[in-house]
């Protein structure tokens, strides 16, 4: 196992400052193998001077997104990595379409229905347990009566069976 620190070359693009063709800033970072992803992320935020209200996307040379932990993986090839920094985007409630509102209302209604069904189930569970226990007791009592009847009948027939059986010569 090689525990040498890796030097990773970064190309930082700040889309939060200019929307089109941002300037590429070249920096490098030194990372020990198998470093925790949170440590790497905080170090990247420090190097790029990024706050938590921004989004950092890490890409390899083929422009594919990669997780932060891949930077510390020694088996991952040494190459340049692009870090794209953007603002957090979200849909404002005022500009949401009617279809989105209907969808959200539908999901809320489904959740309310599910919560109602769970509450009803919780109320019925003790009653179902009681019914199951009563059914089992009824079944056991019925079988006990039948076994008692068969035992009495067997005791009545046993002397007659012994009379009809021929005695073996011993």
């Amino acid at each position: 196992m090689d525990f040498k620190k890796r030097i990773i070359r970064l190309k930082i693009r700040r889309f939060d400052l200019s929307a089109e063709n941002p300037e590429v800033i070249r920096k490098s970072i030194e990372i020990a193998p198998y470093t925790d992803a949170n440590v790497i992320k905080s170090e990247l935020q420090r190097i790029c001077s990024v706050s938590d209200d921004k989004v950092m996307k890490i890409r390899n040379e083929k422009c594919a997104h990669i997780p932060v932990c891949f930077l510390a993986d020694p088996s991952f090839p040494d190459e340049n990595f692009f870090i794209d920094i953007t603002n957090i985007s979200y849909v404002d409630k005022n500009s949401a379409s009617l279809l989105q509102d209907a969808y959200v209302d539908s999901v809320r209604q489904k959740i309310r229905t599910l919560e109602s069904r769970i509450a009803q189930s919780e109320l019925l569970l003790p009653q179902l347990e009681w019914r199951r226990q009563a059914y089992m007791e009824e079944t056991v009592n019925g079988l006990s009566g039948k076994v008692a009847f068969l035992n009495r009948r067997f005791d009545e027939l046993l002397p007659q069976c012994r009379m009809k059986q021929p005695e073996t010569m011993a």
Side-chain angles (χ1 to χ4, degrees), residues 65-77:
H65 283 279
I66 61 166
V68 175
C69 60
F70 277 25
L71 296 176
D73 188 0
S75 63
F76 203 73

Side-chain angles (χ1 to χ4, degrees), residues 132-146:
R132 187 183 68 80
Q133 185 67 27
Y135 175 75
M136 292 299 288
E137 288 175 4
E138 182 181 315
T139 304
V140 167
N141 288 337
L143 289 175
S144 296
K146 291 175 183 175

Side-chain angles (χ1 to χ4, degrees), residues 24-166:
V24 175
I25 304 166
R26 296 178 187 272
K27 292 194 178 184
S28 62
I29 183 172
E30 193 172 306
I31 298 176
Y34 305 109
T35 304
D36 185 41
N38 292 327
V39 174
I40 296 171
K41 183 178 177 184
S42 63
E43 186 65 21
L44 288 174
Q45 286 178 334
R46 187 189 63 76
I47 286 175
C48 299
S49 39
V50 175
S51 59
D52 287 337
D53 63 336
K54 306 286 183 183
V55 176
M56 287 192 323
K57 298 177 183 178
I58 303 173
R59 301 175 189 269
N60 61 10
E61 289 181 336
K62 298 173 186 167
C63 289
H65 283 279
I66 61 166
V68 175
C69 60
F70 277 25
L71 296 176
D73 188 0
S75 63
F76 203 73
D78 287 335
E79 56 185 32
N80 293 323
F81 293 96
F82 290 95
I83 299 192
D84 297 338
I85 301 170
T86 62
N87 291 322
I88 295 175
S89 62
Y90 57 91
V91 177
D92 188 26
K93 181 70 175 164
N94 297 333
S95 65
S97 69
L98 295 176
L99 183 60
Q100 288 174 338
D101 290 341
Y103 180 74
V104 170
D105 289 341
S106 171
V107 170
R108 283 186 185 143
Q109 184 61 33
K110 290 278 187 189
I111 291 173
R112 277 190 222 111
T113 304
L114 185 61
E115 287 174 345
S116 147
R117 291 174 65 187
I118 290 171
Q120 289 174 355
S121 299
E122 288 173 345
L123 290 174
L124 291 176
L125 279 175
Q127 185 179 6
L128 290 173
E129 182 66 27
W130 177 79
R131 284 185 181 177
R132 187 183 68 80
Q133 185 67 27
Y135 175 75
M136 292 299 288
E137 288 175 4
E138 182 181 315
T139 304
V140 167
N141 288 337
L143 289 175
S144 296
K146 291 175 183 175
V147 168
F149 170 76
L150 290 174
N151 281 337
R152 279 193 312 268
R153 187 72 178 135
F154 182 72
D155 289 341
E156 290 171 3
L157 294 174
L158 186 60
Q160 293 173 6
C161 287
R162 286 189 179 162
M163 294 173 134
K164 290 182 180 178
Q165 280 183 345

